[in-house]
Amino acid sequence: YSVYSGDYSPGWQALGWENTVVSQVQEKRTAHKNNLNKNIHVVTSEKFGRLYLAATSFKTAEQGIESLKISLRIVDSEATDNQLSVALYTPDGNPIGSVFAADYVKGKRLSVGTWYEIKIPIADLHAIDQIIGAVVVEIAHPATFEVSAISFGKVATPLKANLK
């Protein structure tokens, strides 16, 4: 269930927060000149800048959601701790759960300029059997960060044994 992968999935839109500018930029990811990736580019000039991705609401249990996957990097930050969090919100804007992205990477630290593929169990976000209305990425200090993909992972359907 994709939220963003080079463009917003139907029903999803990005909203900036106060003192936050959200745009899309293309980045060449490999040596091949035609392989471009369009990232969500977020610049925040004050503490706690947010990328707020609003959606048509859905219930995690009905969709079989087990995880949230996000690909992100901090482009620029003067802070030494790079406290970046990922959260889920209800359709009416109330937080469901939030985690620090660094807790899901080796070394428990996000380095500026490094891309991270992070998989967060939906239980860690307190979102089992919850109605989701938004995905929020927030950084505690003025910074620039980018997101290249966000999706929800579904529980695999078990294969039925053919018993004869």
Short mmCIF file of all heavy atoms in Angstrom, two decimals, residues 34-64:
data_model
loop_
_atom_site.label_atom_id
_atom_site.label_comp_id
_atom_site.label_asym_id
_atom_site.label_seq_id
_atom_site.Cartn_x
_atom_site.Cartn_y
_atom_site.Cartn_z
N ASN A 34 19.19 8.32 -17.14
CA ASN A 34 17.74 8.35 -17.15
C ASN A 34 17.12 7.82 -15.86
O ASN A 34 15.90 7.76 -15.74
CB ASN A 34 17.20 7.55 -18.35
CG ASN A 34 17.56 8.22 -19.65
OD1 ASN A 34 17.59 9.44 -19.74
ND2 ASN A 34 17.86 7.42 -20.66
N ASN A 35 17.92 7.41 -14.92
CA ASN A 35 17.40 6.87 -13.67
C ASN A 35 17.30 7.99 -12.63
O ASN A 35 18.20 8.18 -11.82
CB ASN A 35 18.28 5.72 -13.16
CG ASN A 35 17.64 4.97 -12.02
OD1 ASN A 35 16.55 5.29 -11.59
ND2 ASN A 35 18.34 3.97 -11.53
N LEU A 36 16.20 8.73 -12.67
CA LEU A 36 15.99 9.82 -11.73
C LEU A 36 14.93 9.43 -10.72
O LEU A 36 13.99 8.71 -11.03
CB LEU A 36 15.54 11.09 -12.47
CG LEU A 36 16.56 11.69 -13.43
CD1 LEU A 36 15.93 12.87 -14.16
CD2 LEU A 36 17.80 12.15 -12.69
N ASN A 37 15.07 9.94 -9.52
CA ASN A 37 14.10 9.70 -8.47
C ASN A 37 13.58 11.05 -8.00
O ASN A 37 14.36 11.96 -7.76
CB ASN A 37 14.77 8.94 -7.31
CG ASN A 37 13.75 8.42 -6.34
OD1 ASN A 37 12.74 7.86 -6.73
ND2 ASN A 37 14.01 8.61 -5.06
N LYS A 38 12.28 11.19 -7.90
CA LYS A 38 11.69 12.44 -7.43
C LYS A 38 11.43 12.31 -5.93
O LYS A 38 10.62 11.49 -5.51
CB LYS A 38 10.40 12.74 -8.17
CG LYS A 38 9.93 14.16 -8.00
CD LYS A 38 8.57 14.40 -8.64
CE LYS A 38 8.66 14.57 -10.12
NZ LYS A 38 7.33 14.92 -10.70
N ASN A 39 12.15 13.09 -5.13
CA ASN A 39 12.04 13.04 -3.67
C ASN A 39 11.16 14.16 -3.15
O ASN A 39 11.08 15.22 -3.75
CB ASN A 39 13.42 13.19 -3.04
CG ASN A 39 14.39 12.12 -3.48
OD1 ASN A 39 14.00 11.01 -3.77
ND2 ASN A 39 15.65 12.48 -3.57
N ILE A 40 10.57 13.93 -1.99
CA ILE A 40 9.91 15.01 -1.26
C ILE A 40 11.03 15.72 -0.51
O ILE A 40 11.76 15.10 0.27
CB ILE A 40 8.86 14.49 -0.27
CG1 ILE A 40 7.79 13.66 -0.98
CG2 ILE A 40 8.23 15.65 0.48
CD1 ILE A 40 6.83 12.95 -0.05
N HIS A 41 11.18 16.99 -0.73
CA HIS A 41 12.26 17.81 -0.17
C HIS A 41 11.63 18.74 0.88
O HIS A 41 10.73 19.51 0.55
CB HIS A 41 12.90 18.61 -1.30
CG HIS A 41 14.11 19.39 -0.91
ND1 HIS A 41 15.35 18.81 -0.77
CD2 HIS A 41 14.26 20.70 -0.64
CE1 HIS A 41 16.23 19.75 -0.45
NE2 HIS A 41 15.59 20.90 -0.36
N VAL A 42 12.10 18.66 2.13
CA VAL A 42 11.51 19.42 3.23
C VAL A 42 12.58 20.31 3.87
O VAL A 42 13.62 19.81 4.28
CB VAL A 42 10.91 18.48 4.29
CG1 VAL A 42 10.26 19.27 5.42
CG2 VAL A 42 9.92 17.51 3.66
N VAL A 43 12.30 21.60 3.93
CA VAL A 43 13.20 22.56 4.57
C VAL A 43 12.44 23.22 5.71
O VAL A 43 11.38 23.79 5.50
CB VAL A 43 13.69 23.65 3.59
CG1 VAL A 43 14.61 24.64 4.29
CG2 VAL A 43 14.39 23.01 2.40
N THR A 44 12.98 23.12 6.91
CA THR A 44 12.34 23.74 8.06
C THR A 44 13.30 24.73 8.71
O THR A 44 14.46 24.42 8.93
CB THR A 44 11.85 22.68 9.07
OG1 THR A 44 11.29 23.34 10.19
CG2 THR A 44 12.95 21.75 9.52
N SER A 45 12.80 25.92 8.99
CA SER A 45 13.65 26.98 9.52
C SER A 45 13.59 27.09 11.05
O SER A 45 14.34 27.85 11.64
CB SER A 45 13.26 28.33 8.91
OG SER A 45 11.91 28.62 9.22
N GLU A 46 12.71 26.33 11.67
CA GLU A 46 12.59 26.35 13.13
C GLU A 46 12.50 24.94 13.66
O GLU A 46 12.39 23.97 12.90
CB GLU A 46 11.36 27.17 13.54
CG GLU A 46 11.50 28.65 13.18
CD GLU A 46 10.41 29.49 13.78
OE1 GLU A 46 9.69 29.02 14.68
OE2 GLU A 46 10.27 30.65 13.35
N LYS A 47 12.50 24.82 14.98
CA LYS A 47 12.39 23.51 15.62
C LYS A 47 11.06 22.85 15.27
O LYS A 47 10.05 23.52 15.08
CB LYS A 47 12.51 23.64 17.14
CG LYS A 47 13.89 24.03 17.61
CD LYS A 47 13.92 24.09 19.12
CE LYS A 47 15.32 24.43 19.59
NZ LYS A 47 15.41 24.42 21.05
N PHE A 48 11.09 21.54 15.20
CA PHE A 48 9.91 20.70 15.00
C PHE A 48 9.19 20.99 13.69
O PHE A 48 7.98 21.12 13.64
CB PHE A 48 8.97 20.78 16.21
CG PHE A 48 9.66 20.38 17.48
CD1 PHE A 48 9.99 21.34 18.42
CD2 PHE A 48 10.03 19.07 17.70
CE1 PHE A 48 10.66 20.99 19.58
CE2 PHE A 48 10.70 18.71 18.86
CZ PHE A 48 11.02 19.67 19.80
N GLY A 49 9.96 21.04 12.60
CA GLY A 49 9.37 21.14 11.27
C GLY A 49 8.81 19.80 10.87
O GLY A 49 9.37 18.75 11.21
N ARG A 50 7.69 19.81 10.14
CA ARG A 50 7.01 18.57 9.81
C ARG A 50 6.64 18.46 8.34
O ARG A 50 6.28 19.43 7.71
CB ARG A 50 5.69 18.46 10.59
CG ARG A 50 5.85 18.32 12.05
CD ARG A 50 4.51 18.23 12.71
NE ARG A 50 4.66 18.17 14.17
CZ ARG A 50 3.66 18.16 15.00
NH1 ARG A 50 2.42 18.21 14.57
NH2 ARG A 50 3.88 18.10 16.29
N LEU A 51 6.69 17.24 7.88
CA LEU A 51 6.07 16.84 6.63
C LEU A 51 4.82 16.08 7.04
O LEU A 51 4.90 15.08 7.75
CB LEU A 51 7.00 15.94 5.82
CG LEU A 51 6.38 15.23 4.62
CD1 LEU A 51 5.88 16.25 3.59
CD2 LEU A 51 7.37 14.26 4.02
N TYR A 52 3.66 16.57 6.62
CA TYR A 52 2.38 15.98 7.00
C TYR A 52 1.76 15.43 5.73
O TYR A 52 1.37 16.18 4.84
CB TYR A 52 1.50 17.05 7.63
CG TYR A 52 0.24 16.55 8.29
CD1 TYR A 52 0.21 16.32 9.66
CD2 TYR A 52 -0.92 16.33 7.56
CE1 TYR A 52 -0.95 15.88 10.28
CE2 TYR A 52 -2.08 15.89 8.17
CZ TYR A 52 -2.09 15.66 9.54
OH TYR A 52 -3.23 15.22 10.15
N LEU A 53 1.71 14.10 5.61
CA LEU A 53 1.13 13.44 4.44
C LEU A 53 -0.27 12.97 4.78
O LEU A 53 -0.45 11.99 5.50
CB LEU A 53 2.01 12.27 4.00
CG LEU A 53 3.38 12.66 3.50
CD1 LEU A 53 4.34 11.49 3.54
CD2 LEU A 53 3.28 13.23 2.10
N ALA A 54 -1.26 13.72 4.30
CA ALA A 54 -2.65 13.43 4.60
C ALA A 54 -3.23 12.46 3.57
O ALA A 54 -2.81 12.46 2.42
CB ALA A 54 -3.46 14.72 4.61
N ALA A 55 -4.20 11.67 4.01
CA ALA A 55 -4.76 10.64 3.14
C ALA A 55 -6.24 10.45 3.34
O ALA A 55 -6.81 10.89 4.34
CB ALA A 55 -4.07 9.31 3.43
N THR A 56 -6.81 9.74 2.38
CA THR A 56 -8.13 9.18 2.59
C THR A 56 -7.92 8.12 3.68
O THR A 56 -7.02 7.30 3.56
CB THR A 56 -8.64 8.51 1.30
OG1 THR A 56 -8.60 9.48 0.25
CG2 THR A 56 -10.03 7.98 1.47
N SER A 57 -8.70 8.15 4.72
CA SER A 57 -8.44 7.28 5.87
C SER A 57 -8.65 5.80 5.53
O SER A 57 -9.40 5.45 4.63
CB SER A 57 -9.32 7.69 7.05
OG SER A 57 -10.68 7.56 6.71
N PHE A 58 -7.94 4.97 6.28
CA PHE A 58 -8.08 3.52 6.15
C PHE A 58 -7.78 2.89 7.50
O PHE A 58 -7.09 3.45 8.33
CB PHE A 58 -7.16 2.95 5.06
CG PHE A 58 -5.70 3.09 5.38
CD1 PHE A 58 -5.01 2.06 6.01
CD2 PHE A 58 -5.00 4.24 5.06
CE1 PHE A 58 -3.67 2.18 6.31
CE2 PHE A 58 -3.66 4.38 5.35
CZ PHE A 58 -2.99 3.34 5.98
N LYS A 59 -8.32 1.70 7.71
CA LYS A 59 -8.12 0.97 8.96
C LYS A 59 -7.03 -0.07 8.76
O LYS A 59 -7.09 -0.87 7.82
CB LYS A 59 -9.42 0.32 9.41
CG LYS A 59 -9.42 -0.10 10.85
CD LYS A 59 -10.82 -0.43 11.33
CE LYS A 59 -10.81 -0.61 12.83
NZ LYS A 59 -12.16 -0.82 13.36
N THR A 60 -6.03 -0.05 9.63
CA THR A 60 -4.88 -0.94 9.47
C THR A 60 -5.27 -2.42 9.46
O THR A 60 -4.76 -3.18 8.65
CB THR A 60 -3.82 -0.69 10.56
OG1 THR A 60 -4.43 -0.84 11.84
CG2 THR A 60 -3.21 0.68 10.41
N ALA A 61 -6.17 -2.82 10.35
CA ALA A 61 -6.55 -4.24 10.43
C ALA A 61 -7.26 -4.69 9.16
O ALA A 61 -7.01 -5.79 8.66
CB ALA A 61 -7.43 -4.48 11.65
N GLU A 62 -8.13 -3.86 8.60
CA GLU A 62 -8.86 -4.23 7.39
C GLU A 62 -7.94 -4.35 6.19
O GLU A 62 -8.22 -5.10 5.27
CB GLU A 62 -9.97 -3.21 7.12
CG GLU A 62 -11.10 -3.28 8.12
CD GLU A 62 -12.11 -2.16 7.94
OE1 GLU A 62 -11.97 -1.34 7.00
OE2 GLU A 62 -13.04 -2.10 8.76
N GLN A 63 -6.85 -3.60 6.19
CA GLN A 63 -5.90 -3.64 5.08
C GLN A 63 -4.79 -4.66 5.30
O GLN A 63 -3.95 -4.85 4.43
CB GLN A 63 -5.28 -2.24 4.88
CG GLN A 63 -6.26 -1.17 4.49
CD GLN A 63 -6.83 -1.40 3.09
OE1 GLN A 63 -6.13 -1.85 2.20
NE2 GLN A 63 -8.09 -1.11 2.91
N GLY A 64 -4.72 -5.30 6.47
CA GLY A 64 -3.67 -6.27 6.76
C GLY A 64 -2.31 -5.62 6.93
O GLY A 64 -1.28 -6.23 6.65
#
